[in-house]
Amino acid sequence: MPLNSRTLKPQKADNDAAQNDLYAFMRELGDQMKSDAKVLEALALLERGDWQQAHAIVQQHETQDAAWLHGIVHVLEGDLDNARYWYERAKRTFSPDAKSELAAARQTLDA
């Protein structure tokens, strides 16, 4: 860490930058935890058959898990072309078997 040549103390700008990096990391981690919780909420809604509410949640998130659940939503509503698109975004092989996909999602997301 560079020192201020007059005081031989660490330069404040470097301390501020490190602190800002830490705050940014903490915000990002908090956002990820909120996203994960919402994706789990969407999964629970899908398991109860409420694909409309689940859809409202997953379309707000950009993770691969959210994309997978988004694909399952479209399987449940019968829009298989759209479901294939979301499975591709999730980097998963398409399956029209919503029941087994929900079981696999539960197992994966609970791990």
Side-chain angles (χ1 to χ4, degrees), residues 31-76:
D31 289 346
Q32 182 61 46
M33 291 172 64
K34 289 177 192 172
S35 178
D36 291 347
K38 293 303 275 182
V39 168
L40 285 171
E41 179 184 348
L43 176 56
L45 289 164
L46 285 170
E47 290 170 332
R48 291 196 304 263
D50 191 353
W51 62 263
Q52 294 94 342
Q53 278 294 103
H55 190 235
I57 293 171
V58 297
Q59 65 187 356
Q60 296 176 21
H61 297 278
E62 306 249 341
T63 65
Q64 285 185 341
D65 291 334
W68 183 18
L69 295 183
H70 203 151
I72 295 170
V73 163
H74 288 291
V75 168
L76 289 169

Side-chain angles (χ1 to χ4, degrees), residues 2-40:
L3 298 178
N4 182 310
S5 61
R6 284 183 251 153
T7 64
L8 296 179
K9 293 182 179 175
Q11 291 182 354
K12 183 167 178 28
D14 288 340
N15 288 339
D16 289 346
Q19 189 173 22
N20 287 339
D21 287 347
L22 177 60
Y23 290 147
F25 171 76
M26 291 170 58
R27 275 193 306 275
E28 186 177 314
L29 183 60
D31 289 346
Q32 182 61 46
M33 291 172 64
K34 289 177 192 172
S35 178
D36 291 347
K38 293 303 275 182
V39 168
L40 285 171

Side-chain angles (χ1 to χ4, degrees), residues 65-93:
D65 291 334
W68 183 18
L69 295 183
H70 203 151
I72 295 170
V73 163
H74 288 291
V75 168
L76 289 169
E77 71 174 345
D79 185 355
L80 300 185
D81 288 336
N82 205 355
R84 284 184 182 88
Y85 166 80
W86 286 104
Y87 269 79
E88 186 175 314
R89 294 248 339 237
K91 298 185 181 355
R92 296 194 64 89
T93 302

